[in-house]
Amino acid sequence: MIEYDIIRRPVQSEKSVVLKEKFNQLTFEVAPDANRVEIKNAVEKIFNAKVRSVRTVRVKGKVKRRGRILGKRRDWKKAIVRLMPGQRIDFFEGV
């Protein structure tokens, strides 16, 4: 897989902002079939920063209702990437 296929988008939530500020951890939506080693290599190559560890979570899509119609959001995979001390990604600065 190509690095840009593995890392789909950054996840910006209250929890991800706290993780970034306190623990130097960034959160990304990643390809569902990507493993930790692929995610680590993709982040290091795209953002030019050293990665300390990667944790992954499979997020189940919520069931939503529109009137009588029931639907479901898609399932997705989230990766929490911890950077080495002193490393940072400028993409997230000021967001």
Coordinates of all heavy atoms in Angstrom, one line a residue:
M1 N 0.8 -1.2 0.0 CA 0.0 0.0 0.0 C 0.9 1.3 0.0 O 1.9 1.3 0.6 CB -0.9 0.0 1.3 CG -2.2 -0.6 1.1 SD -3.4 0.0 2.3 CE -3.3 -1.4 3.4
I2 N 0.4 2.3 -0.6 CA 1.0 3.6 -0.6 C 0.7 4.3 0.7 O -0.4 4.1 1.3 CB 0.6 4.4 -1.8 CG1 0.9 3.7 -3.1 CG2 1.2 5.8 -1.8 CD1 0.3 4.3 -4.3
E3 N 1.7 5.1 1.2 CA 1.5 5.8 2.5 C 0.2 6.6 2.6 O -0.5 6.6 3.6 CB 2.7 6.7 2.8 CG 4.0 5.9 3.1 CD 4.7 5.4 1.8 OE1 4.4 5.9 0.7 OE2 5.5 4.5 2.0
Y4 N -0.1 7.3 1.5 CA -1.3 8.1 1.5 C -2.6 7.3 1.4 O -3.7 7.8 1.7 CB -1.3 9.1 0.3 CG -0.2 10.1 0.5 CD1 1.1 10.0 -0.1 CD2 -0.3 11.2 1.4 CE1 2.1 10.9 0.1 CE2 0.6 12.1 1.6 CZ 1.9 12.0 1.0 OH 2.9 12.9 1.2
D5 N -2.5 6.0 1.1 CA -3.7 5.1 1.2 C -3.9 4.6 2.6 O -5.0 4.3 3.0 CB -3.5 4.0 0.2 CG -3.6 4.4 -1.2 OD1 -4.2 5.4 -1.5 OD2 -3.1 3.6 -2.1
I6 N -2.8 4.5 3.4 CA -2.9 4.0 4.7 C -3.4 5.1 5.7 O -4.4 4.9 6.4 CB -1.5 3.6 5.2 CG1 -1.1 2.4 4.4 CG2 -1.5 3.3 6.7 CD1 0.4 1.9 4.6
I7 N -2.8 6.3 5.6 CA -3.3 7.4 6.5 C -4.4 8.2 5.7 O -4.1 8.8 4.7 CB -2.1 8.4 6.8 CG1 -1.0 7.7 7.4 CG2 -2.6 9.5 7.7 CD1 -1.2 7.1 8.8
R8 N -5.6 8.1 6.2 CA -6.7 8.7 5.4 C -6.9 10.2 5.8 O -7.1 11.1 5.0 CB -8.0 7.9 5.6 CG -7.9 6.6 5.0 CD -9.2 5.9 4.8 NE -9.1 4.7 4.0 CZ -9.9 3.8 4.0 NH1 -11.0 3.9 4.8 NH2 -9.7 2.7 3.3
R9 N -7.0 10.4 7.1 CA -7.3 11.8 7.6 C -7.0 11.9 9.1 O -7.0 10.9 9.8 CB -8.7 12.3 7.3 CG -9.7 11.5 8.1 CD -11.1 12.0 7.8 NE -12.1 11.3 8.7 CZ -12.5 11.7 9.9 NH1 -12.1 12.8 10.4 NH2 -13.4 11.0 10.6
P10 N -6.6 13.1 9.6 CA -6.5 13.3 11.0 C -7.8 13.3 11.7 O -8.8 13.8 11.1 CB -5.7 14.6 11.1 CG -6.0 15.3 9.9 CD -6.2 14.3 8.8
V11 N -7.9 12.9 12.9 CA -9.2 12.9 13.7 C -9.0 14.1 14.7 O -8.1 14.1 15.5 CB -9.4 11.6 14.4 CG1 -10.6 11.7 15.3 CG2 -9.6 10.5 13.4
Q12 N -9.9 15.1 14.6 CA -9.9 16.2 15.5 C -11.1 16.1 16.4 O -12.2 16.3 16.0 CB -9.9 17.5 14.7 CG -8.6 17.8 14.0 CD -7.5 18.1 15.0 OE1 -7.7 18.6 16.1 NE2 -6.3 17.8 14.6
S13 N -10.9 15.8 17.7 CA -11.9 15.7 18.7 C -11.3 16.3 20.0 O -10.1 16.6 20.1 CB -12.4 14.3 18.9 OG -11.3 13.5 19.4
E14 N -12.2 16.4 21.0 CA -11.7 17.0 22.2 C -10.7 16.0 22.8 O -9.6 16.5 23.4 CB -12.9 17.1 23.2 CG -13.8 18.2 22.8 CD -15.0 18.4 23.8 OE1 -14.8 17.9 24.9 OE2 -16.0 19.0 23.4
K15 N -10.9 14.7 22.7 CA -10.0 13.8 23.3 C -8.7 13.8 22.6 O -7.6 13.7 23.2 CB -10.6 12.4 23.2 CG -9.8 11.3 23.9 CD -10.5 10.0 23.9 CE -9.6 8.9 24.6 NZ -10.3 7.6 24.7
S16 N -8.7 13.9 21.2 CA -7.5 13.9 20.5 C -6.6 15.1 20.7 O -5.4 15.0 20.7 CB -7.7 13.7 19.0 OG -8.4 14.9 18.5
V17 N -7.3 16.2 21.0 CA -6.5 17.5 21.3 C -5.8 17.3 22.7 O -4.7 17.7 22.8 CB -7.5 18.7 21.3 CG1 -6.8 19.9 21.9 CG2 -7.9 18.9 19.9
V18 N -6.5 16.7 23.6 CA -5.9 16.5 25.0 C -4.7 15.5 24.9 O -3.7 15.7 25.5 CB -7.0 15.9 26.0 CG1 -6.3 15.5 27.2 CG2 -8.0 17.0 26.2
L19 N -4.9 14.4 24.1 CA -3.8 13.5 23.9 C -2.6 14.2 23.2 O -1.4 13.9 23.6 CB -4.2 12.3 23.0 CG -5.2 11.3 23.6 CD1 -5.6 10.3 22.6 CD2 -4.5 10.6 24.8
K20 N -2.8 15.1 22.3 CA -1.7 15.7 21.6 C -1.0 16.7 22.6 O 0.2 16.7 22.6 CB -2.3 16.6 20.4 CG -1.2 17.3 19.7 CD -1.8 18.2 18.7 CE -0.9 19.3 18.3 NZ -0.4 20.1 19.3
E21 N -1.7 17.4 23.4 CA -1.1 18.4 24.3 C -0.4 17.7 25.4 O 0.7 18.1 25.8 CB -2.1 19.4 24.8 CG -2.7 20.3 23.7 CD -3.8 21.2 24.2 OE1 -4.3 21.0 25.3 OE2 -4.3 22.0 23.4
K22 N -1.0 16.7 26.0 CA -0.4 16.1 27.2 C 0.6 15.0 26.9 O 1.6 14.9 27.6 CB -1.5 15.5 28.1 CG -2.3 16.5 28.8 CD -3.2 15.8 29.9 CE -3.9 16.8 30.7 NZ -4.8 16.2 31.7
F23 N 0.4 14.2 25.9 CA 1.2 13.0 25.7 C 1.9 12.9 24.4 O 2.5 11.9 24.0 CB 0.3 11.7 25.9 CG -0.4 11.7 27.2 CD1 -1.8 11.9 27.3 CD2 0.3 11.5 28.4 CE1 -2.5 11.8 28.5 CE2 -0.4 11.4 29.6 CZ -1.8 11.6 29.6
N24 N 1.8 14.0 23.6 CA 2.5 14.0 22.2 C 2.0 12.8 21.4 O 2.7 12.2 20.7 CB 4.0 14.0 22.4 CG 4.7 14.5 21.2 OD1 4.1 15.3 20.4 ND2 5.9 14.1 21.0
Q25 N 0.6 12.6 21.4 CA 0.0 11.6 20.6 C -0.9 12.2 19.6 O -1.7 13.1 19.9 CB -0.8 10.6 21.5 CG 0.1 9.8 22.5 CD -0.7 8.9 23.4 OE1 -1.9 9.0 23.4 NE2 0.0 8.1 24.1
L26 N -0.9 11.7 18.4 CA -1.8 12.1 17.3 C -2.7 11.0 16.9 O -2.4 9.9 17.0 CB -0.9 12.5 16.1 CG 0.2 13.5 16.4 CD1 1.1 13.7 15.2 CD2 -0.4 14.9 16.8
T27 N -3.9 11.4 16.4 CA -4.9 10.5 16.1 C -5.3 10.6 14.6 O -5.5 11.7 14.1 CB -6.2 10.7 16.9 OG1 -5.8 10.8 18.3 CG2 -7.2 9.6 16.7
F28 N -5.3 9.4 13.9 CA -5.6 9.4 12.5 C -6.6 8.3 12.2 O -6.7 7.3 12.9 CB -4.3 9.0 11.7 CG -3.2 10.0 11.8 CD1 -2.2 9.7 12.6 CD2 -3.2 11.1 11.0 CE1 -1.1 10.6 12.7 CE2 -2.1 12.0 11.0 CZ -1.1 11.7 11.9
E29 N -7.4 8.6 11.1 CA -8.3 7.5 10.6 C -7.4 6.8 9.5 O -6.7 7.5 8.7 CB -9.5 8.1 9.9 CG -10.3 7.0 9.2 CD -11.5 7.5 8.5 OE1 -12.0 8.7 8.7 OE2 -12.0 6.8 7.6
V30 N -7.3 5.5 9.6 CA -6.4 4.7 8.8 C -7.2 3.7 8.0 O -8.4 3.4 8.3 CB -5.3 4.1 9.6 CG1 -4.4 5.1 10.2 CG2 -5.8 3.1 10.6
A31 N -6.6 3.1 7.0 CA -7.2 2.0 6.3 C -7.5 0.8 7.2 O -6.7 0.5 8.0 CB -6.2 1.5 5.1
P32 N -8.6 0.2 7.0 CA -9.0 -0.9 7.9 C -8.1 -2.1 7.9 O -8.0 -2.8 8.9 CB -10.4 -1.3 7.5 CG -10.9 -0.2 6.6 CD -9.7 0.5 6.1
D33 N -7.4 -2.3 6.8 CA -6.5 -3.5 6.7 C -5.0 -3.2 7.0 O -4.2 -4.0 6.9 CB -6.6 -4.2 5.4 CG -6.4 -3.2 4.2 OD1 -6.4 -2.0 4.5 OD2 -6.1 -3.6 3.1
A34 N -4.7 -1.9 7.5 CA -3.4 -1.5 7.8 C -3.0 -2.0 9.2 O -3.8 -2.0 10.1 CB -3.3 0.0 7.7
N35 N -1.7 -2.5 9.3 CA -1.3 -2.9 10.6 C -0.4 -1.8 11.2 O -0.1 -0.8 10.6 CB -0.5 -4.3 10.5 CG 0.7 -4.2 9.6 OD1 1.4 -3.2 9.6 ND2 1.0 -5.3 9.0
R36 N 0.1 -2.1 12.4 CA 0.8 -1.1 13.2 C 2.2 -0.7 12.5 O 2.5 0.5 12.5 CB 1.1 -1.5 14.6 CG -0.1 -1.7 15.4 CD 0.2 -2.3 16.7 NE -1.0 -2.6 17.4 CZ -1.2 -2.6 18.7 NH1 -0.2 -2.3 19.5 NH2 -2.3 -2.9 19.3
V37 N 2.8 -1.7 12.0 CA 4.1 -1.4 11.3 C 3.9 -0.5 10.1 O 4.6 0.4 9.8 CB 4.8 -2.7 10.9 CG1 6.1 -2.4 10.2 CG2 5.1 -3.5 12.2
E38 N 2.9 -0.8 9.3 CA 2.6 0.0 8.1 C 2.2 1.4 8.5 O 2.6 2.4 7.8 CB 1.5 -0.6 7.3 CG 1.8 -1.9 6.6 CD 0.6 -2.6 6.0 OE1 -0.5 -2.4 6.4 OE2 0.9 -3.5 5.1
I39 N 1.4 1.6 9.5 CA 1.0 2.9 10.0 C 2.2 3.7 10.5 O 2.4 4.9 10.1 CB 0.0 2.8 11.1 CG1 -1.3 2.2 10.6 CG2 -0.3 4.1 11.7 CD1 -2.3 1.7 11.6
K40 N 3.1 3.1 11.2 CA 4.3 3.7 11.7 C 5.2 4.2 10.5 O 5.6 5.3 10.5 CB 5.1 2.8 12.6 CG 6.4 3.3 13.1 CD 7.2 2.3 13.9 CE 8.6 2.9 14.2 NZ 9.4 2.0 15.0
N41 N 5.4 3.3 9.6 CA 6.2 3.7 8.4 C 5.6 4.8 7.6 O 6.3 5.7 7.1 CB 6.5 2.5 7.5 CG 7.4 1.4 8.2 OD1 8.1 1.8 9.1 ND2 7.2 0.2 7.8
A42 N 4.3 4.8 7.5 CA 3.6 5.8 6.7 C 3.7 7.2 7.4 O 4.0 8.2 6.7 CB 2.1 5.4 6.5
V43 N 3.5 7.2 8.7 CA 3.6 8.5 9.4 C 5.0 9.0 9.4 O 5.2 10.2 9.2 CB 3.1 8.3 10.9 CG1 3.4 9.6 11.7 CG2 1.6 8.0 10.9
E44 N 6.0 8.2 9.5 CA 7.4 8.6 9.5 C 7.8 9.2 8.1 O 8.5 10.1 8.0 CB 8.3 7.5 9.9 CG 8.3 7.2 11.4 CD 9.2 6.1 11.8 OE1 9.7 5.3 10.9 OE2 9.4 5.9 13.0
K45 N 7.3 8.5 7.1 CA 7.6 9.0 5.7 C 6.8 10.2 5.3 O 7.4 11.2 4.7 CB 7.3 7.9 4.7 CG 7.8 8.2 3.3 CD 7.8 6.9 2.5 CE 8.4 7.3 1.1 NZ 8.3 6.1 0.2
I46 N 5.5 10.3 5.6 CA 4.7 11.5 5.2 C 5.1 12.7 6.0 O 5.3 13.8 5.5 CB 3.2 11.2 5.4 CG1 2.8 10.1 4.4 CG2 2.4 12.4 5.2 CD1 1.4 9.6 4.7
F47 N 5.2 12.6 7.4 CA 5.4 13.8 8.2 C 6.9 14.0 8.7 O 7.2 14.9 9.4 CB 4.5 13.7 9.4 CG 3.0 13.7 9.1 CD1 2.3 12.5 9.2 CD2 2.4 14.8 8.6 CE1 0.9 12.5 8.9 CE2 1.1 14.8 8.3 CZ 0.3 13.7 8.4
N48 N 7.8 13.0 8.3 CA 9.2 13.2 8.7 C 9.4 13.3 10.2 O 10.1 14.2 10.6 CB 9.8 14.4 7.9 CG 11.2 14.1 7.5 OD1 11.7 13.0 7.7 ND2 11.8 15.1 7.0
A49 N 8.7 12.5 11.0 CA 8.8 12.5 12.4 C 9.0 11.1 12.9 O 8.4 10.1 12.3 CB 7.6 13.1 13.1
K50 N 9.8 10.9 14.0 CA 10.0 9.5 14.5 C 8.8 9.1 15.4 O 8.4 9.9 16.3 CB 11.3 9.5 15.4 CG 12.5 9.7 14.5 CD 12.8 8.5 13.7 CE 14.1 8.7 12.9 NZ 14.3 7.7 11.9
V51 N 8.4 7.9 15.2 CA 7.2 7.4 16.0 C 7.7 6.4 17.1 O 8.6 5.6 16.8 CB 6.3 6.6 15.0 CG1 5.2 5.9 15.8 CG2 5.7 7.6 14.0
R52 N 7.2 6.6 18.3 CA 7.5 5.7 19.4 C 6.6 4.5 19.4 O 7.1 3.4 19.6 CB 7.4 6.5 20.7 CG 7.9 5.8 21.9 CD 7.9 6.7 23.1 NE 8.4 6.1 24.2 CZ 8.6 6.7 25.4 NH1 8.3 7.9 25.5 NH2 9.1 6.0 26.4
S53 N 5.3 4.7 19.3 CA 4.4 3.5 19.4 C 3.1 3.9 18.6 O 2.8 5.0 18.3 CB 4.1 3.2 20.8 OG 3.4 4.2 21.4
V54 N 2.4 2.8 18.3 CA 1.1 2.9 17.6 C 0.1 2.0 18.3 O 0.4 0.9 18.5 CB 1.3 2.5 16.1 CG1 -0.1 2.6 15.4 CG2 2.2 3.4 15.4
R55 N -1.1 2.6 18.6 CA -2.2 1.8 19.1 C -3.3 2.0 18.1 O -3.5 3.0 17.5 CB -2.6 2.3 20.4 CG -1.6 2.1 21.5 CD -2.1 2.6 22.9 NE -2.4 4.0 22.8 CZ -3.1 4.7 23.7 NH1 -3.7 4.0 24.7 NH2 -3.3 5.9 23.6
T56 N -4.1 0.9 17.9 CA -5.2 0.9 16.9 C -6.5 0.5 17.6 O -6.5 -0.3 18.5 CB -4.9 0.0 15.7 OG1 -4.7 -1.4 16.2 CG2 -3.7 0.4 14.9
V57 N -7.6 1.1 17.1 CA -8.9 0.8 17.6 C -9.9 0.7 16.4 O -9.8 1.5 15.5 CB -9.4 2.0 18.5 CG1 -10.8 1.7 19.0 CG2 -8.4 2.3 19.6
R58 N -10.7 -0.3 16.4 CA -11.7 -0.5 15.4 C -13.0 0.2 16.0 O -13.5 -0.2 17.0 CB -12.0 -1.9 15.1 CG -10.9 -2.6 14.4 CD -11.3 -3.9 13.7 NE -10.3 -4.4 13.0 CZ -10.0 -4.2 11.7 NH1 -10.8 -3.4 11.0 NH2 -9.0 -4.8 11.1
V59 N -13.5 1.2 15.3 CA -14.6 2.0 15.7 C -15.9 1.5 15.0 O -15.9 1.5 13.7 CB -14.4 3.5 15.5 CG1 -15.6 4.3 16.0 CG2 -13.1 4.0 16.2
K60 N -16.9 1.1 15.7 CA -18.1 0.6 15.1 C -19.0 1.8 14.7 O -19.1 2.8 15.4 CB -18.9 -0.3 16.1 CG -18.2 -1.5 16.5 CD -18.2 -2.5 15.4 CE -17.6 -3.8 15.9 NZ -17.5 -4.8 14.8
G61 N -19.6 1.7 13.5 CA -20.5 2.8 13.1 C -21.7 2.8 13.9 O -22.3 1.8 14.3
K62 N -22.2 4.0 14.1 CA -23.5 4.2 14.9 C -24.7 3.9 14.1 O -24.7 4.2 12.9 CB -23.6 5.6 15.4 CG -22.5 6.0 16.5 CD -22.8 7.4 16.9 CE -21.8 7.8 18.0 NZ -22.1 9.2 18.4
V63 N -25.7 3.4 14.7 CA -27.0 3.2 14.0 C -27.8 4.6 14.2 O -27.9 5.1 15.2 CB -27.8 2.1 14.6 CG1 -29.2 2.0 14.0 CG2 -27.1 0.8 14.5
K64 N -28.2 5.1 13.0 CA -28.9 6.4 13.0 C -30.3 6.2 12.4 O -30.5 5.3 11.5 CB -28.1 7.4 12.2 CG -26.8 7.8 12.9 CD -27.1 8.6 14.1 CE -25.9 9.2 14.7 NZ -26.1 10.0 15.9
R65 N -31.2 7.0 12.8 CA -32.6 7.0 12.3 C -32.9 8.3 11.6 O -32.6 9.3 12.1 CB -33.5 6.7 13.5 CG -35.0 6.7 13.1 CD -35.9 6.6 14.3 NE -35.7 5.3 15.0 CZ -36.4 4.2 14.7 NH1 -37.3 4.2 13.8 NH2 -36.2 3.2 15.5
R66 N -33.6 8.1 10.5 CA -34.2 9.3 9.8 C -35.6 9.0 9.6 O -36.0 8.3 8.6 CB -33.5 9.4 8.4 CG -32.5 10.5 8.4 CD -32.2 10.8 7.0 NE -31.8 12.2 6.8 CZ -31.2 12.7 5.9 NH1 -30.7 12.0 4.9 NH2 -30.9 14.0 5.9
G67 N -36.4 9.4 10.5 CA -37.9 9.1 10.4 C -38.0 7.6 10.7 O -37.6 7.1 11.7
R68 N -38.6 6.9 9.8 CA -38.8 5.5 9.9 C -37.6 4.7 9.4 O -37.5 3.5 9.7 CB -40.1 5.0 9.2 CG -41.3 5.6 9.7 CD -42.5 5.0 9.0 NE -42.3 5.1 7.6 CZ -43.3 4.8 6.7 NH1 -44.5 4.4 7.1 NH2 -43.0 4.8 5.4
I69 N -36.8 5.3 8.7 CA -35.7 4.6 8.0 C -34.5 4.5 9.0 O -34.1 5.5 9.6 CB -35.2 5.4 6.8 CG1 -36.4 5.7 5.9 CG2 -34.1 4.6 6.0 CD1 -37.0 4.6 5.2
L70 N -34.0 3.3 9.2 CA -32.8 3.0 10.0 C -31.6 2.9 9.0 O -31.7 2.3 8.0 CB -33.0 1.7 10.8 CG -33.6 1.8 12.1 CD1 -33.7 0.5 12.7 CD2 -32.9 2.8 13.0
G71 N -30.5 3.5 9.4 CA -29.3 3.5 8.7 C -28.1 3.2 9.6 O -28.3 3.3 10.8
K72 N -27.0 3.0 9.0 CA -25.8 2.8 9.9 C -24.6 3.5 9.2 O -24.4 3.4 8.0 CB -25.5 1.3 10.0 CG -24.3 0.9 10.8 CD -24.2 -0.6 10.8 CE -22.9 -1.0 11.5 NZ -21.7 -0.6 10.8
R73 N -23.8 4.2 10.1 CA -22.6 4.8 9.6 C -21.6 3.7 9.4 O -21.7 2.6 10.0 CB -22.1 5.8 10.6 CG -23.0 7.0 10.7 CD -22.3 8.1 11.6 NE -23.2 9.2 11.8 CZ -23.0 10.2 12.7 NH1 -22.1 10.1 13.6 NH2 -23.8 11.2 12.7
R74 N -20.6 4.0 8.6 CA -19.6 2.9 8.3 C -18.7 2.7 9.5 O -18.4 3.6 10.3 CB -18.8 3.3 7.1 CG -18.0 4.6 7.3 CD -17.3 5.0 6.0 NE -16.5 6.2 6.1 CZ -15.3 6.2 6.6 NH1 -14.6 5.1 6.9 NH2 -14.6 7.4 6.7
D75 N -18.1 1.5 9.6 CA -17.1 1.1 10.5 C -15.8 1.7 10.0 O -15.6 1.8 8.8 CB -17.0 -0.4 10.7 CG -18.3 -1.0 11.2 OD1 -19.1 -0.3 11.8 OD2 -18.4 -2.2 11.0
W76 N -14.9 2.1 11.0 CA -13.6 2.6 10.6 C -12.5 2.3 11.6 O -12.8 1.8 12.7 CB -13.7 4.1 10.3 CG -14.2 5.0 11.4 CD1 -15.5 5.0 11.9 CD2 -13.4 5.8 12.3 NE1 -15.5 5.9 12.9 CE2 -14.3 6.4 13.2 CE3 -12.1 6.2 12.3 CZ2 -13.9 7.3 14.2 CZ3 -11.7 7.1 13.3 CH2 -12.6 7.7 14.2
K77 N -11.3 2.5 11.2 CA -10.2 2.1 12.1 C -9.4 3.4 12.5 O -9.2 4.3 11.6 CB -9.2 1.2 11.4 CG -8.1 0.6 12.3 CD -7.4 -0.5 11.5 CE -6.4 -1.2 12.4 NZ -5.8 -2.3 11.7
K78 N -9.1 3.5 13.8 CA -8.4 4.7 14.3 C -7.1 4.3 14.8 O -6.9 3.2 15.4 CB -9.3 5.3 15.4 CG -8.6 6.5 16.2 CD -9.6 7.2 17.1 CE -10.1 6.4 18.2 NZ -10.9 7.1 19.2
A79 N -6.1 5.1 14.5 CA -4.7 4.9 15.0 C -4.3 6.0 15.9 O -4.4 7.2 15.5 CB -3.7 4.7 13.9
I80 N -3.8 5.7 17.1 CA -3.2 6.7 18.0 C -1.7 6.5 18.0 O -1.2 5.5 18.4 CB -3.8 6.6 19.4 CG1 -5.3 6.7 19.4 CG2 -3.2 7.6 20.4 CD1 -6.0 6.3 20.7
V81 N -1.0 7.5 17.4 CA 0.4 7.5 17.2 C 1.1 8.3 18.2 O 0.9 9.5 18.3 CB 0.7 8.0 15.7 CG1 2.2 8.0 15.5 CG2 0.0 7.1 14.7
R82 N 2.1 7.7 18.9 CA 2.8 8.5 19.9 C 4.2 8.8 19.3 O 4.9 7.9 18.8 CB 3.0 7.6 21.2 CG 3.7 8.4 22.3 CD 3.7 7.6 23.6 NE 4.3 8.3 24.6 CZ 4.5 7.9 25.8 NH1 4.1 6.6 26.1 NH2 5.0 8.6 26.8
L83 N 4.6 10.1 19.3 CA 5.8 10.5 18.8 C 6.9 10.4 19.8 O 6.7 10.5 21.0 CB 5.7 11.9 18.2 CG 4.7 12.1 17.1 CD1 4.6 13.6 16.7 CD2 5.0 11.3 15.9
M84 N 8.2 10.4 19.3 CA 9.3 10.4 20.2 C 9.4 11.8 20.9 O 8.9 12.8 20.3 CB 10.6 10.2 19.4 CG 10.8 8.8 18.9 SD 11.2 7.7 20.3 CE 11.9 6.4 19.4
P85 N 10.0 11.9 22.1 CA 10.2 13.1 22.7 C 10.9 14.1 21.8 O 11.9 13.8 21.2 CB 11.0 12.8 24.0 CG 10.7 11.4 24.2 CD 10.5 10.7 22.9
G86 N 10.4 15.4 21.8 CA 11.1 16.4 21.0 C 10.5 16.4 19.5 O 10.8 17.4 18.8
Q87 N 9.8 15.4 19.1 CA 9.3 15.4 17.7 C 7.9 16.0 17.8 O 7.2 15.9 18.7 CB 9.1 13.9 17.3 CG 10.4 13.2 17.1 CD 11.2 13.6 15.9 OE1 10.7 13.8 14.8 NE2 12.5 13.8 16.1
R88 N 7.5 16.6 16.6 CA 6.2 17.2 16.5 C 5.9 17.3 15.0 O 6.8 17.3 14.2 CB 6.0 18.5 17.2 CG 7.0 19.6 16.7 CD 6.7 20.9 17.4 NE 6.6 21.9 16.3 CZ 6.4 23.2 16.6 NH1 6.3 23.6 17.8 NH2 6.3 24.0 15.6
I89 N 4.6 17.4 14.7 CA 4.1 17.5 13.4 C 3.5 18.9 13.3 O 2.5 19.1 14.0 CB 3.1 16.4 13.0 CG1 3.9 15.0 13.0 CG2 2.5 16.6 11.7 CD1 3.0 13.8 12.7
D90 N 4.0 19.7 12.4 CA 3.5 21.1 12.2 C 2.1 21.1 11.7 O 1.4 22.1 11.8 CB 4.4 21.9 11.4 CG 5.8 22.1 12.1 OD1 5.8 22.1 13.3 OD2 6.8 22.2 11.4
F91 N 1.7 20.0 11.0 CA 0.3 20.0 10.4 C -0.7 20.2 11.5 O -1.8 20.8 11.2 CB 0.1 18.6 9.8 CG -1.2 18.4 9.2 CD1 -1.5 19.0 7.9 CD2 -2.2 17.6 9.8 CE1 -2.7 18.8 7.4 CE2 -3.4 17.5 9.2 CZ -3.7 18.0 8.0
F92 N -0.5 19.8 12.7 CA -1.5 19.9 13.8 C -1.4 21.2 14.6 O -2.2 21.5 15.4 CB -1.4 18.7 14.7 CG -1.9 17.5 14.1 CD1 -1.1 16.5 13.5 CD2 -3.3 17.2 14.2 CE1 -1.6 15.4 13.0 CE2 -3.8 16.0 13.6 CZ -2.9 15.1 13.1
E93 N -0.3 21.9 14.4 CA -0.1 23.1 15.2 C -1.1 24.2 14.8 O -1.3 24.5 13.7 CB 1.4 23.6 15.0 CG 2.4 22.6 15.4 CD 2.3 22.1 16.8 OE1 2.0 22.9 17.7 OE2 2.5 20.9 17.0
G94 N -1.7 24.8 15.8 CA -2.6 25.9 15.6 C -4.0 25.4 15.2 O -4.8 26.2 14.8
V95 N -4.3 24.1 15.2 CA -5.6 23.6 14.8 C -6.5 23.5 16.0 O -6.1 23.2 17.1 CB -5.5 22.2 14.1 CG1 -6.8 21.7 13.8 CG2 -4.6 22.3 12.9

